[in-house]
Every structure is written in structure tokens, then in C-alpha cells.
Amino acid sequence: MKIRIGYELDYDLPQPTPMILMLNVHFSRFSDLVTPDHMRIRPSVPIRAYRDGFGNWCSRVLAPQGKVRISADAIIADSGLPEAFDRSAGQVPVEDLPEECIVFLLASRFCDSDRMLDLAWQLFGHTQPGAPRVQAICDFVHQRIAFDYNDASVTRSASEAYREGRGVCRDYAHLAIAFCRALNIPARYCTCYLGDMGTPKPWPPGDFAASFEAYLEGGWQMFDPRNNVPRIGRVLIARGRDAADVAIATSFGPNTLTGFRVWTDEVPETD
């Protein structure tokens, strides 16, 4: 199948403002792009690009004063099948982990696993190590947190999400990641496009989605404690330790977000 992906972000800026944007499809899905996801900025300004320490594609701009629109519209190919999971994958001993995984065992700004060690072992120490343990974590987090867009907070940590029992998809991911790391399972935060294909209507407005990958036997495997079921058409944008590493837009000055649209829609087949 083919999926149309894209976004429109509208800002009102009181002064010229440096910004870092992390909105391009991840390099691991680049070859699936049928049409490029070129970033467009109106009014037009130069864009400088670089890869961060996690391999994510980042764009630097000096956004002008006034009203600014950042947008993209692309087509990407996808299998059209629900995500596949290896439910039998075992846990990899810490001493056998690749060096690239070590950073994803450590506590980070929003995944404060060091505060959750005892709780994690109390809740999940009896579960089968590996994919079954990660799934048990997802099941728990899915039930623990009540989803509500009005409960979004850019400063809520995993331990706070656990105590408050509310939040949005990033809070589900942060809490699950923190539990995994407390149990010596490398876990990394993912920002993605994720539409509602294959789910009952009515569908909510489009948005970017947070999930996470755990490193198990066989490699990295995607988990989604917010939805907690295999989904169709997830498109990876960026990976990092937590949401701070993969913010879609970081501005270095005051700004007002006046418009926000994201789409992830199946392209109808044509004869």
C-alpha cells in the first residue's frame, strides 16, 4: 500500500528565531519514499542539515519574524500489514549487548529509571525475561495511564506519569522505557507517523505518535504501550533516549504555535 504523510506547522514569531527541526522520515525508511518529504518553509529561508548523535536527520533554520509555515507532503510505500512481533525473543545479558545499546540502559531526563528500580522488580521480576517481560510492561502501562490530550505536559517524567496515572503517548513510552531500563533491557524512544488504518472510525485528528524499541535477541523490536496492539503503517521519524532527544521542533526564542496538522492517510488504489 501507499501512504500519504505530511504536516503543517504554523508559528507566529515576535523576532527572528533559530530553530532545529526533526521532521524528516528516518533514514531506515528513506528507500520507501515514493515522493520526497522535502521540508518547505514560507517565507522561504535557507535550511542547513546535519545528523545528530543518534543518526537522526535535523534541519537548522533562522525563522523570520512574523507568521511562518513549516510543511511537507510525501508518499511512502508500506507493506500494509500489521506490525510483526517476535513474542519468543529472549533477553540479552548486559555483558553481551552491543556497545551501541549501553546508552539506552541509562536513566535520562524523562526516563528516570534510577528512581524506579525497586518498583520495576516488584512488578515484573516474576515475568519471563525477554519479549514476554516487555509485553507485560506494556500491558501494565496501557492500564496505568489514562490518555487525555488535555493532560499533556512537556516536563512530566516517567516516575511522575506513574504517580499521576495520566498523560499522552509520550508518557506511555517514557514509563515503559524506564521500566525496561530498570530491568536491564535497552529501550529507546521513537517518534513516528501513525495513522488509524485498520482501526474503527471515527478517527481522531492526526498527530505524531510516540512508541519505543527494546533490544532483545534478534535486535531492536517496536512496542507501543499507548495502543498496545499491532498497527498498520507506522513510519519512523527519529530515535533517542527520550522525547528531549527527538523534539519535532526546538526554538531558541519566544513563539506561538497557531496551527498544527499531521496526516497519515492510505492512498486509494488506482487502475
Side-chain angles (χ1 to χ4, degrees):
M1 69 184 297
K2 293 182 175 62
I3 303 172
R4 182 186 177 203
I5 56 174
Y7 55 85
E8 285 182 353
L9 309 178
D10 292 316
Y11 289 93
D12 194 353
L13 304 171
Q15 62 194 35
T17 304
M19 301 182 77
I20 297 175
L21 306 166
M22 202 176 299
L23 289 159
N24 288 97
V25 170
H26 193 263
F27 69 82
S28 62
R29 293 296 304 270
F30 184 80
S31 62
D32 293 325
L33 285 168
V34 178
T35 61
D37 63 335
H38 292 319
M39 182 182 295
R40 298 176 177 85
I41 302 180
R42 296 291 181 271
S44 180
V45 294
I47 301 175
R48 297 163 55 195
Y50 69 96
R51 292 203 183 277
D52 68 8
F54 301 103
N56 302 311
W57 191 246
C58 306
S59 299
R60 296 181 63 184
V61 301
L62 179 60
Q65 180 180 351
K67 298 184 183 302
V68 175
R69 169 167 289 182
I70 303 166
S71 65
D73 191 27
I75 304 292
I76 193 165
D78 191 81
S79 69
L81 301 173
E83 296 166 303
F85 298 90
D86 181 0
R87 299 300 187 188
S88 64
Q91 185 163 333
V92 180
V94 172
E95 62 271 23
D96 295 331
L97 288 169
E99 281 71 20
E100 68 174 57
C101 294
I102 302 303
V103 68
F104 299 111
L105 282 176
L106 307 179
S108 59
R109 165 67 179 84
F110 293 113
C111 299
D112 46 349
S113 52
D114 51 338
R115 296 183 175 180
M116 308 187 74
L117 287 170
D118 292 342
L119 176 63
W121 285 102
Q122 290 169 13
L123 291 173
F124 309 109
H126 66 284
T127 59
Q128 180 181 341
R133 178 167 287 174
V134 180
Q135 187 56 57
I137 290 170
C138 291
D139 293 342
F140 177 87
V141 172
H142 183 75
Q143 294 296 324
R144 178 73 182 186
I145 297 181
F147 184 89
D148 189 336
Y149 277 115
N150 294 323
D151 282 327
S153 169
V154 298
T155 60
R156 184 184 291 123
S157 68
S159 60
E160 290 168 339
Y162 172 80
R163 289 196 301 271
E164 296 171 12
R166 58 192 175 91
V168 292
C169 58
R170 61 177 269 158
D171 299 301
Y172 289 77
H174 283 155
L175 182 54
I177 290 169
F179 278 139
C180 284
R181 292 179 185 172
L183 297 165
N184 299 326
I185 303 170
R188 60 190 184 187
Y189 184 98
C190 299
T191 297
C192 309
Y193 287 102
L194 181 62
D196 293 294
M197 292 161 287
T199 66
K201 293 184 178 181
W203 294 340
D207 198 354
F208 296 111
S211 53
F212 77 99
E213 292 175 325
Y215 190 85
L216 303 167
E217 289 179 347
W220 291 101
Q221 185 163 309
M222 184 72 74
F223 291 86
D224 181 353
R226 160 69 178 97
N227 296 292
N228 210 29
V229 294
R231 295 293 294 269
I232 297 171
R234 191 187 308 270
V235 178
L236 181 66
I237 296 174
R239 301 182 179 119
R241 292 167 298 181
D242 55 33
D245 287 333
V246 296
I248 59 171
T250 302
S251 62
F252 298 88
N255 68 88
T256 302
L257 181 65
T258 59
F260 180 87
R261 278 208 314 133
V262 179
W263 51 89
T264 311
D265 303 315
E266 182 178 359
V267 178
E269 293 288 342
T270 57
D271 294 331

